Structure formats: structure tokens, C-alpha cells
Amino acid sequence: MDGKVDSVVVVGGGDVGLLTALGVRRMNPSVDVSVVDDFQQEIPQVGKSTYREIQSILHGSLGIDEHQFISEVKPIWKASVYFRDWCDRPSFQYPFDPPDKYPNADTPDAVEHYYYHYDELYDSPDHLTRDEQIVAQGKSPWFYGSDGDLDRYDKVAYHLDTNRFNTYLRKLCHARDVSLVNDEVTAVETTGQRIDRVRSDRCAYEADLYVDATGFNRVLRSEQDVEFREFEFPLDAALNVRVDRSLSEVVPATVIETGDHGWFWQIDTYDDRDLGYVFATEYADEATARAEFREFVADVAPGDADSETVVDDADVDRYDFDSGYYDRAWVANCLAIGNAEGFVEPLQSTALTANASLAVQFSNLLASHGRVADDAVRDAFNASVRRTWESIHDFVGVHYEYSSGDTAFWEAMESLDVSSRVDQIAEEFDRYGYDWNVDVADPSRLAELKVFALPDFYTVMRNMGATSEFYETNDFDVSDDVADERDRFYRQTEQRVADDHLTVEELYRGIMDF
């Protein structure tokens, strides 16, 4: 049954649930919005990594004051994903400013720029973008401008301490008249696909529209008959722990390394260093994974502590997940979002930002259609959700398309057939190189990419060993003028970061005095 949405109940008070409630309330100020959850439960401590769009979502779409946010949440700025060791390949970065590596196609002598990057610069430690230099030099994006005012390079994302972030979002909900109800939903009453009401042991909650933000519990979504599109990535579990680290040791990037049965992460937050191991239970039992994780923690924890004293097994949390998504996020009067709707895997840190973006899209879609929920509006949103998950799946899949290793896990990943679109992306790079503006045989497939675009794919692919027949068979001459211009650009970038940018410690301990 279609109708106008005047009230929304969000079930689940995690980050995505609160962000959805804030989005609905901001774009639809006359809607009554409530979030129901057991707010006495401890907030999960896993560190959250994001990608660049999180800045515009939080400080643009949701109108969150940046200074207040920094003061209370104390984020660490993330400039790239740093592949410190991916399948024994040389280290490289996937920064948030990859366009700086490539000229526009209409640039004079563009092919020389492209070829010079392909042949010489793509893995050069002396030719780094501003984001890459921020990481290499251990700086923040903040600097003093020519006018003497504190300024920020805006092509960055956040590392967030979950406890600080969720606590701040709760405070914001109170300030913006979003009702936080301390209760636990234990029953869902339905008629067909429609949610009639949700109940706790002591109360019933009714609304025009319900949001399932209960994570992998999927309390509401499990009551609906919706097809689940399962991805074939075998990774399905993660170990996580936090170790002490000073602000002077912050790495302003999500650091990635591969292990025998998966991959490790390092996320520096304001309070500590968050470490994790994403692994496939099909190839490693928990004891094996924990042993490997302890070795990694010993290697990357600050100081000289050995593996026996760095972390105790009791401090290690385990999370299990499945990879895939429901092909319809919004069914009848129930929207599933966050892990309740879908998940790929943690690589490239897509979950929080992608779901925050979808929450904003949903809120805007509701507002721009007079809060009328009908099949056309639902179909439009569901199509956007599908494109989001498929785009993320393909980008993550590229990391495995070019992987290698001698364990059973990596042999399986190396032979993984990700998707026909990834095959097409590889073919286009092989045929045309870095020029992504050419006409292709099936442009609709590439147009469906939503979160990550071709430059993102090419940046990762080339560093993981992808080659282009176009450049391999055409030995282009790079003029001195082009080489000098590129070299000068990168030297000036390095010097600017060295001279102007503040470290995280200088920013927090000195300038902002938090």
C-alpha cells in the first residue's frame, strides 16, 4: 500500500541507523523520526575507515559543523589506502586525488603524459600526489594559507573512533529532535511484505515507514521475502584488536598487507591503532588465523614489544559477515540499510560512507517526491543501491583479479572470475591505456559504475601488474618539456607538503589545543 510518509521508525542505533535518522529529519523536517535500540549496550570498538565522499555527506548534506565535529569526534584524516605489501608486490598507494596523475584527454601531448606515467612514474617513490606525500611524510591535510589562516586540503577522508563517533551522532539526534528510544525490538508483525508494527517486551511501535539498521541480525528484513545476491568472495570473518599509539606515530592512511588466508588492516584513530585480519574460514580455522594475526600485531604495534605481550587473545574481537546484498533495499514500507541490506568486505573501507550516501539519497528522494512512497520511487532507489553494491564489488574484485600467492586461499582468489564488467575494464585499459573518454562497444556497462570510476580502477590495476598493449606496442617518445613539467610538479608538491602541512600531533596538541 502506497501513501505519504509522516513517521519513520529506525530499528538499530549504530552509525548507519543514526545517520539515516539524521538524514530523514534534515531533508524532511516535518517527519517524526525515532530510533529504537538498546542504547545501554556497549558500542563496538572497531575503528571506522571511510573514503572521500564522507566529507561532503557529513559537513554538506547533513549540515554537521566541521569544527564541532573535529572537537568532539577527533578524527584522523585519511589521505589514501596504503598497500604496504599486497601479494609481495612493491608498496603503493591508492590516494584520493588520482586525477592529479593524469591529464585531460584534450591536453596537448596527452599521450606523452600518459605514457610517462605508465612507463616510469606509476610506482615511483619520487612522484607522489599531494595525498601520497601527506602519507609519506606523516602529515595532516591542514596548513596555513598565504593569508595566514588555517586551511585544509579537502581531498581526504576520515578514520573514526566508533565510540566517539556514535556518541556524537546520538548527541546530534537529541539536538535535532530525533527521538532515541532505549528499547529492544523482539518481534515484527507483518501482513505479506508490509511491516504492521514492531514490538519489544513492553511496547509496540508503529510508523508509516520502517528502517532496518540492525546489521547482520536483519531483524526486519528477515521477515520479508527478498532475493539475496551472494558475492563469491570467500572472506567471511575478521579479527580485531586495538593497541596503544601516540599521536606522533599516526599514519594518515588505511594500511593494508596480505596474509596467508586473507589480508590485514591498520587504521590509526585518535586514541589508538586499530588492527584487523580479514580471513576466509574455508581456508583457515580460528586458531590458525589468530596465530597469524598475533605475528602481524607484533610487527606493526609501536614499540619493541614481542607478540606475547602486545595483545592477549581475550582482547581480540571476532566479527563474521556474509558478502552480498538484497536486490531490493526498499520493499513495501520497509527500507533495509547498512549491513542489514548488504556488505561486500572491508577492503577499500566502503561500508560506512556508501551507506551514509545511500541514506542521504533516500532522504532526498523522499523529500523531492512530497514524501509519497510508491513503486516508482522505490524502484529508483533500489536501482541506485544495486549499482552501488555492484560497483564496490567490481572494484574490490580487481584487487584479487591481479593477486598471487602459493596458499590455497590465494590460488583460489587468483582464479576468481569477478564479473564481465571487470573483464571489460581490463580490455579497455589494454586497448586504450589511460584514456577513459573513448567510445566503447558497450558504454552502458561502464556507465553503471557508481562509487569508483575508471581512473580508480586503472590506478590500482597498474600498480598490481596490469599492462596495456597500447603502450607496450607503441614506444612513445616523451619530450623533455613533458618530463620536466611532471617532475617539477611532483617536486613542488613534495616541498609544499614538507614546508606547509602540519602533523596530526601539531594540529591537535598545538593549534586546536583539544
Side-chain angles (χ1 to χ4, degrees):
M1 180 178 177
D2 298 332
K4 195 169 185 179
V5 175
D6 292 318
S7 59
V8 174
V9 167
V10 179
V11 182
D15 301 336
V16 173
L18 296 176
L19 289 167
T20 304
L22 289 166
V24 172
R25 183 67 176 161
R26 180 171 174 82
M27 284 67 164
N28 304 270
S30 62
V31 172
D32 180 58
V33 183
S34 300
V35 182
V36 181
D37 201 355
D38 180 359
F39 287 103
Q40 302 305 312
Q41 286 190 349
E42 185 177 354
I43 299 170
Q45 293 300 298
V46 60
K48 291 288 182 76
S49 181
T50 60
Y51 56 83
R52 180 180 170 184
E53 191 185 353
I54 196 67
Q55 297 271 353
S56 61
I57 292 169
L58 297 179
H59 308 308
S61 301
L62 296 180
I64 296 175
D65 180 77
E66 184 178 17
H67 184 272
Q68 181 190 61
F69 182 84
I70 294 171
S71 175
E72 298 197 29
V73 180
K74 294 182 171 57
I76 296 296
W77 289 268
K78 169 187 174 182
S80 77
V81 179
Y82 174 38
F83 291 86
R84 187 159 52 197
D85 180 1
W86 186 263
C87 298
D88 294 326
R89 295 198 63 81
S91 61
F92 70 94
Q93 295 189 56
Y94 165 68
F96 292 120
D97 52 4
D100 288 354
K101 296 174 179 289
Y102 315 113
N104 293 326
D106 57 359
T107 299
D109 303 318
V111 70
E112 295 180 39
H113 289 261
Y114 286 135
Y115 183 76
Y116 190 39
H117 179 77
Y118 175 89
D119 193 48
E120 297 285 343
L121 306 188
Y122 76 96
D123 62 349
S124 169
D126 300 319
H127 297 82
L128 305 179
T129 68
R130 193 165 173 181
D131 269 337
E132 291 172 317
Q133 284 292 353
I134 286 172
V135 176
Q137 299 184 38
K139 297 294 188 79
S140 79
W142 292 88
F143 62 95
Y144 282 106
S146 57
D147 57 2
D149 291 337
L150 192 62
D151 201 354
R152 176 174 60 78
Y153 185 57
D154 64 359
K155 297 176 182 178
V156 292
Y158 285 139
H159 283 172
L160 302 168
D161 174 88
T162 310
N163 187 64
R164 291 180 183 274
F165 185 50
N166 193 273
T167 300
Y168 177 75
L169 293 180
R170 294 182 190 186
K171 178 179 177 180
L172 202 60
C173 283
H174 286 301
R176 296 186 179 184
D177 294 324
V178 173
S179 178
L180 301 185
V181 182
N182 186 28
D183 202 355
E184 182 180 2
V185 169
T186 56
V188 181
E189 297 181 10
T190 63
T191 300
Q193 297 280 59
R194 184 175 178 80
I195 308 294
D196 295 325
R197 63 188 58 81
V198 296
R199 291 186 177 276
S200 69
D201 292 338
R202 59 183 176 83
C203 192
Y205 303 95
E206 295 187 2
D208 297 325
L209 188 140
Y210 298 86
V211 176
D212 187 345
T214 61
F216 291 113
N217 292 325
R218 296 166 178 164
V219 173
L220 278 64
R221 177 43 48 97
S222 62
E223 299 296 325
Q224 296 178 303
D225 183 17
V226 187
E227 182 179 351
F228 187 78
R229 152 91 154 100
E230 185 175 357
F231 293 138
E232 295 184 1
F233 298 143
L235 296 140
D236 58 359
L239 302 176
N240 174 238
V241 75
R242 289 147 301 285
V243 297
D244 292 336
R245 186 228 63 244
S246 69
L247 283 178
S248 64
E249 297 170 299
V250 162
V251 177
T254 299
V255 183
I256 302 295
E257 292 186 16
T258 50
D260 288 341
H261 310 97
W263 57 271
F264 303 101
W265 80 68
Q266 173 185 312
I267 298 172
D268 282 356
T269 68
Y270 181 85
D271 299 287
D272 48 41
R273 175 162 290 171
D274 190 275
L275 303 171
Y277 184 28
V278 183
F279 66 99
T281 57
E282 178 183 352
Y283 296 95
D285 59 26
E286 183 164 346
T288 301
R290 281 179 177 268
E292 195 177 359
F293 186 41
R294 281 194 297 271
E295 292 181 9
F296 169 75
V297 172
D299 287 340
V300 302
D304 298 322
D306 59 34
S307 60
E308 296 301 319
T309 58
V310 168
V311 60
D312 189 282
D313 269 351
D315 297 324
V316 176
D317 299 316
R318 172 170 169 161
Y319 300 91
D320 294 282
F321 60 87
D322 52 16
S323 184
Y325 68 94
Y326 289 97
D327 72 340
R328 290 181 296 155
W330 187 356
V331 177
N333 65 338
C334 180
L335 171 79
I337 198 163
N339 294 338
E341 156 55 22
F343 187 68
V344 180
E345 62 136 298
L347 190 62
Q348 288 292 349
S349 311
T350 54
L352 177 63
T353 313
N355 283 296
S357 178
L358 291 171
V360 168
Q361 289 180 47
F362 167 73
S363 302
N364 283 329
L365 195 63
L366 205 60
S368 62
H369 290 82
R371 306 199 313 275
V372 172
D374 62 15
D375 286 342
V377 175
R378 283 187 286 265
D379 289 346
F381 181 73
N382 289 339
S384 180
V385 174
R386 285 191 292 270
R387 287 179 57 209
T388 296
W389 292 126
E390 293 291 345
S391 179
I392 292 171
H393 167 264
D394 287 356
F395 187 56
V396 169
V398 160
H399 297 70
Y400 299 116
E401 190 97 349
Y402 296 93
S403 65
S404 61
D406 55 8
T407 65
F409 169 78
W410 285 108
E411 288 173 354
M413 297 306 283
E414 189 176 2
S415 62
L416 193 68
D417 185 11
V418 178
S419 75
S420 59
R421 179 164 47 206
V422 167
D423 293 340
Q424 183 183 356
I425 290 170
E427 290 170 4
E428 301 304 330
F429 182 63
D430 191 48
R431 183 181 299 126
Y432 302 116
Y434 289 116
D435 185 1
W436 48 84
N437 298 297
V438 296
D439 289 330
V440 297
D442 186 9
S444 63
R445 294 285 292 152
L446 299 185
E448 290 174 357
L449 292 171
K450 190 168 187 289
V451 178
F452 299 100
L454 289 179
D456 302 303
F457 281 84
Y458 293 163
T459 298
V460 169
M461 288 164 55
R462 180 61 180 140
N463 279 282
M464 290 187 174
T467 58
S468 171
E469 188 69 14
F470 178 72
Y471 297 126
E472 297 294 334
T473 57
N474 294 284
D475 188 16
F476 294 102
D477 291 327
V478 178
S479 67
D480 291 341
D481 287 344
V482 168
D484 289 346
E485 186 279 326
R486 286 285 81 192
D487 294 350
R488 183 170 59 254
F489 168 79
Y490 285 114
R491 285 197 305 271
Q492 290 173 346
T493 298
E494 179 181 13
Q495 196 63 49
R496 183 176 188 182
V497 172
D499 292 345
D500 299 342
H501 282 251
L502 301 165
T503 66
V504 172
E505 186 175 34
E506 288 170 338
L507 184 72
Y508 274 121
R509 298 292 189 229
I511 307 304
M512 295 187 175
D513 195 26
F514 291 152

